[in-house]
Structures are given as C-alpha cells and as structure tokens.
C-alpha cells in the first residue's frame, strides 16, 4: 500500500501482492503502522476505506439490489412491458392499476426480506469469530470482519488467520494451509524474508486468510484483507459453484415444475384467446397475469421470513443459525456424529491420578505433568487445564522449546529446566501407545529397567483403567544436557515415568436424550479420539450399541466405497484423527444419510466442512466455529434436540405455503383458463388477478408463526417435488370443480354479465383460498389444530378488504360492482361447501400417501 500525506494507508502498494519478499520495516512503513499496532481511529478510517474483512461472496446485498430482485422475475418483466405498451395504446387507467399492484407486491417482499436479513445479522453478531489485535498499544478483541491492513494480530492454536500476514514473532508456530495448498501436514512459520517469487508452501514467513493455527503462537502484521487476499484471488478463479444444499435442490426442482406448467398455460391461453378474436394486448395481459397468478410470487420472501423466524425461535432455544439454508438440513438430519466429551459426558474433565508405574501416587509425576501442561505456548486443552487445577504450575521452571501436539504423533513434548541450575529435561505427554513408541526404558521400584519387562503389566493396567471409563495418558522424560532446542528426532530413547488418568462422568440425562433423538429419527454415532476401551465403556453407559465398533487403524484399511457400507451398523468409532473423522462423515453421506457433525476442537474442522450440517458450540476454537453452520450456546444434546425440532417446524411451515399456494393458484388459473374459452368475455381482468394474488399472499407472510402438527416434528423432513405436484393437481382440481360450479350458477341462474361475474368471482376466489388455508395448514382435522393469532388476524383483514372492495370508491377503477345479497350468500355457501370437501379430500390424500 501507499501512504497518504496524513500518514494513513491509501491505495494498494505494488509490493502488497508479494509482501513475503519485503523487509519487515518496509512493510510497517508502507502500512503506516508499528509493532504497537494502529490507533482505534486509524483502524476505523482504514475499515471505512477498504471495507469489511470478508470475501465478496460473503457480503450482504445492498437494499437497492434486494429491491430490484423483487421485480427481476422474467414473467414480471414481460408483464410490466406489456402493461406499459397497453398504456401507450390509450388504456392508462388499467395499466396504472396493474403497475401499482405489482409495485405493492414487490415492496411487501422487499420489506419482509430486509427485515429477515436484519434479524439474522443481529443473531450472527452474537457468535461472530473474534480476533486479537493491538490497538492503541493494548490487546483488544475485534470481530474478524473488522481486522484491517496494518493491524498487529496475536494468534495461537485454534485461531483463524485474520488476513494475509507477515510473521513478526513465532513460538513453535505451525499453520494448517490445506485450504490453499491441499497439504495435509501443518506448515512451520517463522519471521524472515523469502524470495518474492516463492510459492505458497515456500512462504515460511507468511500466513494467509482461510487457514488456521495448528499449534504454537505468533505475532502477525496484517497486510491484505477481504477481496485483496490470496484466498479471494483463488476463489475468483474458480468457476465451479459449491454443491447445492438439500434445500436448494428442492427449490430448483420446484421451480422447474412451475416453469413447465407456466409455459403450457401461457402459450395455450394466449393462442386460444387470439382464436376467439380477442385483442392482442388483452390476450397478452391476461395470459401473463395468469402466469404470475400461478407462481407463488412471495416465495423468496416467505422462505426468508420462515427461515429467519425459525432462526429467531431456535435462538430462544440457545441455538444460533449461521447459514439459513442449514435449517432444512438440520430438520432432515438422520445421522448425528458427535464426540462424547461435553455432549454424552459432563465435559468437566478432572485428573483422577498421577501415578508411577506401580499405581502409587507420585508428586514427581504430577510436577512433570504440570510443567508439560502449563509451560506450552499452544492451545491449552481440557486435559491440560485439569492437570493444572489439580497441580498448579511450579514457578521456578523455565521452558526452552516445545514440540506441539499433532494428530499423527498424538503426543506433545516440552524441553524445560525443571529447577534453576538443573540440566534441561524433555517431558513428553500423550496417548499411551504413542508415548511407549518413543520409550526404551521405564522407572520402577527396582530402578530404571528395559521397557519390555513392564510392557505386559502396563497393558493390563491400561485395559483395566480404560474399561472403567478412565482416559489414560503416558508420561516420559529424557535428560538433554546443554540443549536449548528440541526436534521430533529427540523423541527417542525416552524413559516412561508414570501414568495420568482422567475422568469425565456421563451426564445423568444422556441416555434418555439419545433415546429421544433416536425416536425422532436421528441416529447418534460416537466419533472420538479416545481409545476403543474408554469409548465402549461410555457408549454402554449412554445406551449406544457396542456390538460393532471401528478404530482409526481399521478405517484406514477400508476403501471409501466399502466404508459407506461398513459404517451403517456401527455406532462407536474410536482412536480417530481428523482425516478419519472426515472419511466417516463422507461415508454416511455416500450411504444416503443427511449427516450432522458436532465438534468444537481444532481437529473437528475437516468433518465440520464435510457434513451436511456442521454443528459446534459457542466456546469452540475459532476455526471450528467458522466451519459450522449451527452454533449451540450450550454443549448439550438436549439443546440440539430442541433445535432439530425447531428446524423441522420451520421447514414444515415453509412447505405449508408451497402446498397451499400452488394448489390454490393452480385451481384458480385452470378455472379461469377454462372460463376464458367458454365465456364471451374474460372472466377476470389482469389487475383483478394480480390483486387476488396479492391479497391471498398476505396471510402467508405470517405462516412462519404457525403451529405445526406434532407428528411432523417426530421425523426428518425432506423436499418431495412429486408429492407437491400430486398435491397441487388434486386440490387444484377440487378447487376447479367448485369454481366451475360457481361459473355455471352465475351464468345460468343469476345471468351475471361481465362486471357482476368478475366481482363475484373476485370475492369467491379470495374467500375460498383464505378459508381453505385453515384446512390445508394441518394434516389433522382443522378444528383440532389451532392456527397462530397472526394467521387468524391477517386472514380476517383480507376477508374484510375482499368483501369491501366491490362496494368501495376504488371499485370502478378495478371494474368491480357491488354484489347483490343473494349472490353474496351463494358465494358464502359455496365457500363453506368447498372447505368441507377439502377437509374430506385431505384425509384421503394423506392416508394414500402414508402420512
């Protein structure tokens, strides 16, 4: 970046794209910052100029773009053009009415979608990932989106890298760059300069947005953010869209169904009206108005409203939705892969014992364990915290170097000076098998002996403790006189000195919660890094089937195709690393399941990405929270169960609108198409059709608040376009039968001409559609299911408006006339008969479709 005359960063500097080859001080000068960071005022100015630290695909649509989207439906564009043409030919009154109705419909959708968007942004702010930066010389937490070029950022294990940065300081810093490079193993990072033409893996002094810290800690200078980052340039070069979610696939299939019907309607009705010698412009307007009437115009708004309302209600259950379309997948989830810690267990890990190899408590083993847990610079996990609660960190020890934990070695080593003046000691803690793999000797009551002499006894004790539900770690040491640093090669020839045991009791309600999830159609599978003995013990306590289990080693020996079959009967997976967890999730998806994954650690990011719906908790490491679509404010499966039910409620209410509106619209449009052929005049004018569509959509805007039948909350919900089609044809046909009955009575009994006919049909269309809403909104008898007060209120308002319009001053503009009392009574009777018939047909339909 260049620097403006007032000392603030201005436009992008030519070296900003190759900052890894630029000297540190030059970068600090170019960004008008220091190692003490920016001032809050300078950061605010930079944020205003460069924009939020988000990729373009993450930015919210502007209000103008949202408003324009309401009118960019191709059918509406053609209708508007035809309406303007009609006005140009002299019929400005009708044209103005049609345009006003279209504008009102668009504004309604705009207001609802914008309100839903604001509500969602407020909810997301509660779980936004934070970054630690230095502002005004002090460490502060700011949202990741508020990080700007020139910030000095502090990161540690589990943190997201907040932008493209240069490393100023590092302590055992390794970064997972697989999102950029595809490389599985973390890359080591340290200060310095590299060649300006270095590839990403060669840029050892730089870190990039979209990656995260695997271990260690570092101080970074943020150089580029948002759309100027390496990740943004890679994203822009990719033309392939991400795979569609289940919700998007359903919407696409539904849209294709409506498009086919619309094309047939428009062409057929247009041609028939021309053959009947009706004017070209009237035929065009009528055909297009029917097409608009067939489509659920407010569907995008209704979906946004329903999902946003669902997200708000889920927030009351302490479940935050980060990605709205995940609600559908949440409700349709059939398999939940979850760790046991904090979900099936209390999540309060305590150190049970620190013993020598004979099982006696050992203060020396406890001290070494506390040094290993407390002096490390990386992420302090629950096991480390449990050690330090039981045995506070000694104050006279000094850390010299460390080998961070990783999921291949499954151990962590620290080079320390235990006491002033003593020789350096390498202390290693980790999974017992991985620690034994680097040991040659062991300390016993008889002194230091070859490891082989105690191996059998150790395995027996390990099995006994594990079968009792204890997690067992090994602790080993190695004297390294004069050493100031350590490498992985130094983890060899070590001496096993003791065992650490940890307890995490099962939650009292865990078994009942898992049983409720199973009864709700969600099968829970335990996915854990613990050994198979501990996993099986906990699984039995919570009621999971342990007949078949799989370990990480066994999974590695199975190909992807075979794994999709092997995982189905297995409920307990143990000894897993992140790659193996991801393979399990993908295997369940390949087998046809909708998969949720619940995790909160660094190692959970890959399976969270791979799942249909990634679920984490508010206390998760940033990389897990960023990867997830759902965030639980409490790490509790019961909270998740409540969220699943709310997700199903949201999906069911969205489907109510689709079922009811498409069937009613299809019936009305089919009736008018037939009537337009049989009558010497058009049954309804374009403006009247659009007004019917607008008024009957109003109650639908409140459908998100409606109650849902209990049976629909007990099983996963999925899109079924064939069911929607059958529903639309059956109830649309029933609507058409009553419409045509009304048509015959109006012409043969009441001898109604065009104005009176249109007025009666206008009112009848609205009354029947509003009335049948109360029948079709539930699969139970309508009088046993109470709708929400908002559905009732808006329906009453619509009915009052519909009855009043033909008698109001606007009636002449709409070419409507007052309806005689006898005719009004007939419409009410037909409406009641239609409601009763629909109730009977509903019972037949759902019985035939097994619901």
């Amino acid at each position: 970046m260049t620097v403006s005359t007032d000392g603030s960063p201005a436009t992008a500097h030519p070296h900003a794209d190759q900052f890894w080859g630029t000297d540190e001080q030059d970068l600090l000068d170019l960004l008008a910052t220091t190692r003490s960071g920016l001032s809050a005022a300078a950061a605010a100015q930079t944020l205003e100029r460069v924009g939020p630290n988000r990729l373009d695909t993450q930015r919210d649509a502007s209000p103008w773009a949202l408003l324009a989207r309401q009118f960019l439906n191709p059918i509406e564009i053609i209708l508007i053009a035809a309406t303007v043409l009609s006005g140009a030919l002299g019929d400005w009154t009708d044209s103005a009415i049609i345009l006003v109705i279209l504008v009102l419909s668009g504004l309604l959708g705009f207001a609802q979608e914008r309100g839903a968007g604001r509500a969602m942004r407020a909810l997301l702010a509660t779980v936004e990932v934070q970054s630690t930066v230095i502002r005004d010389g002090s460490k502060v937490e700011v949202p990741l989106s508020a990080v700007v070029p020139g910030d000095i950022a502090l990161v540690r294990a589990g943190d997201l890298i907040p932008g493209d940065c240069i490393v100023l300081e590092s302590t055992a810093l390794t970064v997972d760059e697989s999102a950029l490079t595809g490389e599985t193993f973390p890359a080591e990072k340290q200060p310095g300069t590299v060649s300006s033409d270095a590839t990403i893996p060669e840029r050892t002094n730089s870190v990039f947005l979209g990656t995260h810290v695997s271990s260690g800690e570092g101080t970074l200078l943020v150089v580029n953010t948002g759309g100027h980052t390496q990740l943004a340039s890679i994203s822009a070069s990719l033309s392939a869209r991400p795979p569609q979610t289940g919700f998007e696939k359903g919407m696409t299939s539904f849209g294709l169904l409506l498009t086919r019907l619309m094309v047939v309607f428009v062409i057929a009705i247009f041609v028939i009206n021309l053959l009947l010698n009706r004017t070209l412009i009237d035929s065009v307007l009528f055909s297009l108005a029917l097409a608009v009437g067939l489509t659920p115009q407010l569907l995008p708004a209704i979906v946004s409203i329903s999902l946003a309302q669902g997200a708000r209600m889920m927030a009351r259950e302490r479940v935050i939705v980060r990605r709205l379309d995940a609600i559908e997948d949440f409700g349709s989830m059939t398999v939940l892969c979850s760790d046991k810690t904090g979900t099936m267990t209390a999540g309060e890990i305590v150190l049970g014992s620190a013993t020598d190899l004979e099982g006696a408590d050992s203060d020396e083993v406890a001290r070494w364990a506390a040094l290993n847990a407390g002096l490390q610079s990386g992420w302090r996990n629950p096991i480390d915290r449990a050690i330090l609660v039981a045995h506070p960190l000694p104050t006279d020890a000094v850390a010299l170097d460390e080998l961070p934990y990783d999921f291949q070695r499954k151990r962590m080593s620290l080079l320390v000076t235990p006491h002033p003046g003593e020789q350096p000691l390498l202390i290693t803690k980790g999974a017992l098998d991985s620690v034994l793999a680097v040991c040659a000797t062991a300390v016993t009551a008889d002194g230091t002996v070859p490891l082989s002499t105690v191996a059998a006894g150790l395995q027996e004790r390990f099995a006994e403790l594990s079968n009792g539900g204890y997690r067992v770690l090994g602790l080993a040491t190695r004297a390294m006189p004069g050493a100031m640093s350590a490498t992985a090669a130094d983890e060899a020839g070590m001496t096993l000195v003791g065992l650490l045991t940890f307890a995490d009791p099962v939650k009292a309600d865990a078994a009942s919660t898992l049983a409720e999830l199973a009864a709700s159609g969600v099968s829970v599978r335990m996915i854990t890094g613990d050994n198979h003995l501990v996993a099986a013990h906990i699984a039995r306590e919570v009621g999971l089937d342990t007949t078949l289990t799989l370990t990480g080693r066994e999974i590695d020996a199975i190909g992807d195709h075979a794994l999709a079959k092997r995982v189905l009967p297995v409920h307990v997976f143990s000894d897993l690393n992140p790659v193996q967890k991801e393979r399990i999730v993908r295997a369940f998806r390949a087998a046809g399941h909708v998969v949720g994954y619940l995790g909160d650690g660094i190692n959970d990011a890959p399976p969270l990405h791979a799942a249909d719906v990634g679920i984490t908790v508010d206390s998760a490491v940033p990389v897990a929270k960023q990867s997830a679509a759902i965030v639980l404010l409490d790490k509790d499966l019961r909270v998740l169960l409540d969220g699943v039910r709310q997700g199903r409620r949201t999906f069911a209410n969205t489907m109510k609108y689709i079922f009811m509106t498409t069937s009613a619209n299809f019936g009305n449009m089919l009736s008018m198409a037939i009537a337009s052929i049989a009558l010497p005049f058009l049954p309804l004018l374009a403006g009247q059709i659009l007004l019917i569509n607008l008024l009957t959509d109003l109650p639908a805007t409140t459908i998100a608040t409606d109650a849902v039948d209990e049976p629909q909350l007990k099983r996963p919900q999925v899109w079924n376009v064939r069911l929607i089609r059958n529903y639309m044809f059956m109830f649309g046909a029933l609507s058409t039968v009553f419409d045509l009955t009304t048509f015959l009575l109006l012409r043969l009994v009441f001898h109604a001409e065009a104005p009176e006919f249109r007025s009666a049909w206008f009112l009848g269309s609205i009354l029947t559609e509003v009335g049948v809403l109360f029948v079709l909104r539930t699969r139970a008898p309508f009088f046993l299911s109470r709708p929400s007060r908002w559905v009732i209120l808006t329906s009453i308002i619509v009915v009052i408006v519909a009855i009043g319009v033909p008698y109001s001053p606007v009636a002449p503009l709409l070419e409507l006339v007052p309806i005689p009392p006898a005719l009004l009574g007939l419409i009410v009777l037909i409406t009641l008969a239609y409601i009763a018939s629909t109730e009977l047909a509903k019972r037949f339909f759902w019985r035939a479709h097994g619901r």
Side-chain angles (χ1 to χ4, degrees):
M1 291 187 177
T2 58
V3 182
S4 63
T5 54
D6 63 0
S8 61
T11 56
H13 189 275
H15 288 195
D17 291 336
Q18 298 178 334
F19 60 88
W20 47 88
T22 305
D23 181 72
E24 172 192 319
Q25 189 57 53
D26 289 343
L27 282 174
L28 290 169
D29 293 340
L30 290 169
L31 295 168
T33 189
T34 68
R35 277 179 169 254
S36 299
L38 296 169
S39 67
Q45 291 175 2
T46 304
L47 182 63
E48 179 70 23
R49 184 177 62 258
V50 303
N53 184 22
R54 295 194 294 262
L55 301 184
D56 289 339
T57 55
Q58 299 170 303
R59 297 181 189 275
D60 299 321
S62 70
W64 290 111
L66 185 61
L67 180 61
R69 195 168 70 196
Q70 310 302 317
F71 302 98
L72 293 182
N73 180 300
I75 295 295
E76 290 207 30
I77 292 174
I78 296 171
L79 181 57
I80 290 170
T83 303
V84 171
L85 177 61
S86 174
L89 296 176
D91 195 359
W92 279 113
T93 301
D94 284 349
S95 299
I97 292 171
I98 295 172
L99 291 175
V100 166
I101 294 171
L102 287 172
V103 168
L104 287 176
S105 179
L107 289 176
L108 176 62
F110 168 73
Q112 295 287 0
E113 281 202 67
R114 194 176 186 204
R118 284 175 171 171
M120 277 308 303
R121 285 191 292 275
L123 286 176
L124 291 177
T126 65
V127 292
E128 185 168 3
V129 173
Q130 302 287 306
S131 296
T132 303
V133 298
I134 300 177
R135 299 262 174 96
D136 295 318
S138 301
K139 290 195 294 185
V140 295
E141 297 284 325
V142 301
L144 181 65
S145 59
V147 174
V148 298
D151 265 326
I152 303 298
L154 308 177
V155 295
R156 60 189 307 174
D159 285 346
L160 292 167
I161 298 299
D164 287 1
C165 314
I166 201 81
V167 178
L168 302 180
E169 298 176 6
S170 67
T171 303
L173 179 64
T174 64
V175 175
D176 183 337
E177 295 184 326
S178 57
L180 294 179
T181 66
E183 175 57 50
T184 303
F185 296 99
E188 294 184 13
K189 299 293 181 178
Q190 55 193 5
T193 57
V194 298
S195 171
S196 59
D197 60 358
T199 62
I200 291 178
E202 295 170 340
R203 299 169 195 169
T204 56
N205 66 338
S206 306
V207 291
F208 301 93
L209 185 70
T211 65
H212 67 270
V213 180
S214 297
S215 61
E217 58 185 16
T219 301
L220 314 175
L221 168 62
V222 181
V223 180
N224 293 321
T225 58
H228 300 289
T229 60
Q230 191 77 33
L231 181 63
S233 64
I234 292 175
S235 299
S237 68
L238 298 177
S239 58
R241 285 191 57 192
Q244 284 188 316
T245 65
F247 192 81
E248 290 172 331
K249 289 178 181 177
M251 288 287 283
T252 300
S253 299
F254 176 61
L256 289 173
L257 171 64
L258 289 183
T259 300
R260 294 188 189 105
L261 287 172
M262 210 158 43
V263 169
V264 171
F265 261 104
V266 170
I267 294 175
I269 293 171
F270 176 69
V271 171
I272 290 171
N273 275 277
L274 287 181
L275 293 176
L276 293 174
N277 296 319
R278 288 171 182 156
T279 65
L280 175 63
I281 195 65
D282 282 344
S283 299
V284 170
L285 288 175
F286 181 71
S287 301
L288 291 174
L290 281 182
V292 173
L294 176 63
T295 60
Q297 269 180 296
L298 290 184
L299 180 59
I302 297 301
V303 169
S304 295
I305 296 163
S306 295
L307 295 181
Q309 174 69 12
R312 284 194 291 268
M313 295 180 73
M314 289 172 73
R316 293 174 196 160
E317 306 290 344
R318 299 185 62 74
V319 178
I320 303 298
V321 180
R322 295 188 68 250
R323 198 187 76 235
L324 274 182
D325 56 13
I327 290 179
E328 190 273 347
D329 290 318
F330 203 31
S332 60
M333 183 170 61
T334 56
V335 168
L336 172 65
C337 298
S338 173
D339 191 8
K340 59 181 179 56
T341 304
T343 51
M344 302 175 200
T345 66
E348 299 173 0
I349 297 176
V350 295
L351 179 65
S353 63
T355 70
D356 59 26
L357 300 186
E358 274 75 34
D361 289 338
S362 170
D363 290 338
E364 188 173 52
V365 170
R367 175 183 170 83
W368 286 333
L371 291 176
N372 179 281
L375 291 178
Q376 64 166 306
S377 62
W379 179 59
R380 194 170 288 170
N381 61 42
I383 285 178
D384 294 324
R385 291 195 292 270
I387 293 172
L388 294 173
V389 167
H391 299 279
L393 178 66
T395 58
D396 57 348
V398 177
L400 301 175
D401 198 8
E402 70 180 87
L403 301 172
Y405 181 90
D406 66 59
F407 299 102
Q408 301 300 322
R409 292 165 44 251
K410 291 190 175 182
R411 56 182 178 263
M412 183 266 176
S413 296
L414 199 74
L415 183 64
V416 303
T417 303
H419 295 284
E422 289 188 356
Q423 292 294 333
L425 184 71
L426 186 66
I427 305 173
T428 297
K429 172 181 97 267
L432 183 58
D433 285 347
S434 69
V435 172
L436 291 177
V438 296
C439 289
T441 57
V443 174
T444 68
D446 299 326
T448 301
V449 300
L451 181 65
S452 58
T453 62
V454 299
L458 277 173
Q459 292 300 333
E460 290 179 6
R461 179 162 172 74
F462 173 75
E464 178 185 353
L465 290 168
S466 296
N467 281 322
Y470 288 97
R471 183 170 185 178
V472 183
L473 300 186
L475 193 73
T477 62
R478 176 188 171 188
M480 295 182 62
M484 294 300 292
S485 62
T487 67
D490 293 316
E491 291 180 327
M494 302 191 73
T495 299
L496 185 69
V497 295
L499 301 178
L500 307 172
T501 65
F502 300 87
D504 185 12
V506 168
K507 287 183 176 179
D509 65 346
S512 62
T513 303
L514 293 186
E516 286 185 51
L517 280 165
S520 297
V522 180
S523 175
V524 178
R525 311 299 172 105
M526 181 188 292
I527 309 287
T528 179
D530 277 352
N531 70 72
H532 67 286
L533 297 174
V534 174
H537 174 84
I538 299 296
R540 285 190 292 269
E541 287 199 19
V542 299
L544 290 180
D545 184 2
T546 59
T547 305
L548 293 173
T549 64
L550 279 176
T551 65
R553 186 171 298 173
E554 292 169 331
I555 287 169
D556 284 340
I558 305 171
D560 289 341
H561 181 72
L563 187 61
K565 297 180 180 178
R566 284 287 299 275
V567 297
L568 294 178
V570 179
H571 286 75
V572 181
F573 301 85
S574 58
D575 292 303
L576 301 173
N577 62 37
V579 174
Q580 292 158 348
K581 291 182 178 182
E582 181 181 6
R583 287 192 66 208
I584 292 169
V585 169
R586 294 190 184 280
F588 276 115
R589 292 190 66 185
H593 284 282
V594 178
V595 183
Y597 182 88
L598 174 58
D600 62 354
I602 303 171
N603 58 326
D604 290 315
L608 282 169
H609 273 296
D612 290 286
V613 52
I615 309 163
T616 192
V617 293
D618 194 33
S619 58
V621 296
V623 66
K625 190 183 293 188
Q626 187 74 7
S627 301
I630 305 285
V631 178
L632 308 180
L633 298 185
D634 299 308
K635 192 174 184 180
D636 187 342
L637 286 178
R638 187 160 294 280
V639 171
L640 186 143
L641 175 60
D642 293 337
V644 167
R645 289 172 64 85
Q646 186 55 57
R648 292 175 182 176
R649 180 176 289 108
T650 301
F651 180 69
N653 277 334
T654 303
M655 296 308 297
K656 280 182 189 179
Y657 172 77
I658 291 172
F659 277 130
M660 294 184 299
T661 304
T662 53
S663 59
N665 288 359
F666 176 75
N668 288 337
M669 299 310 107
L670 181 60
S671 301
M672 279 187 279
I674 295 172
S676 69
I677 299 171
L679 291 172
F681 51 82
L682 289 175
L684 284 173
L685 301 177
Q688 295 165 351
I689 294 172
L690 295 176
L691 184 56
I692 291 171
N693 208 36
L694 174 64
L695 289 175
T696 54
D697 267 342
L698 286 174
T701 63
T702 62
I703 202 73
T705 66
D706 198 23
V708 174
D709 298 337
E710 189 63 28
Q712 289 181 268
L713 301 179
K714 290 183 177 179
R715 308 303 299 174
Q717 303 291 312
V718 295
W719 273 91
N720 187 335
V721 175
R722 178 176 294 180
L723 181 67
I724 296 172
R725 183 197 64 194
N726 294 343
Y727 192 99
M728 179 176 68
F729 287 161
M730 177 170 179
F731 290 99
L734 180 62
S735 172
T736 297
V737 169
F738 275 86
D739 283 341
L740 295 180
T741 301
T742 304
F743 154 59
L744 291 173
L745 290 172
L746 286 174
R747 292 293 289 169
L748 300 179
V749 177
F750 287 87
H751 307 291
E753 294 302 326
E756 193 175 67
F757 184 98
R758 290 167 181 160
S759 300
W761 204 338
F762 170 84
L763 178 59
S765 296
I766 294 175
L767 292 184
T768 54
E769 190 163 342
V770 171
V772 84
L773 179 151
F774 291 89
V775 175
L776 297 182
R777 55 165 289 279
T778 174
R779 299 179 186 182
F782 77 91
F783 48 83
L784 297 180
S785 177
R786 180 180 174 83
S788 76
R789 66 177 183 273
W790 291 109
V791 172
I792 295 173
L793 180 61
T794 53
S795 297
I796 291 173
I797 292 172
V798 167
V799 169
I800 292 172
V801 170
I803 293 174
V805 164
Y807 305 92
S808 70
V810 301
L813 294 176
L814 294 168
E815 298 189 37
L816 298 174
V817 297
I819 303 171
L823 188 51
L824 187 61
L826 174 67
I827 293 170
V828 171
L829 286 175
I830 291 174
T831 299
L832 293 176
Y834 175 51
I835 290 172
S837 299
T838 303
E839 176 65 32
L840 293 174
K842 178 184 71 177
R843 298 183 188 183
F844 169 79
F845 180 86
W846 290 121
R847 192 179 298 120
H849 286 80
R851 304 298 170 99

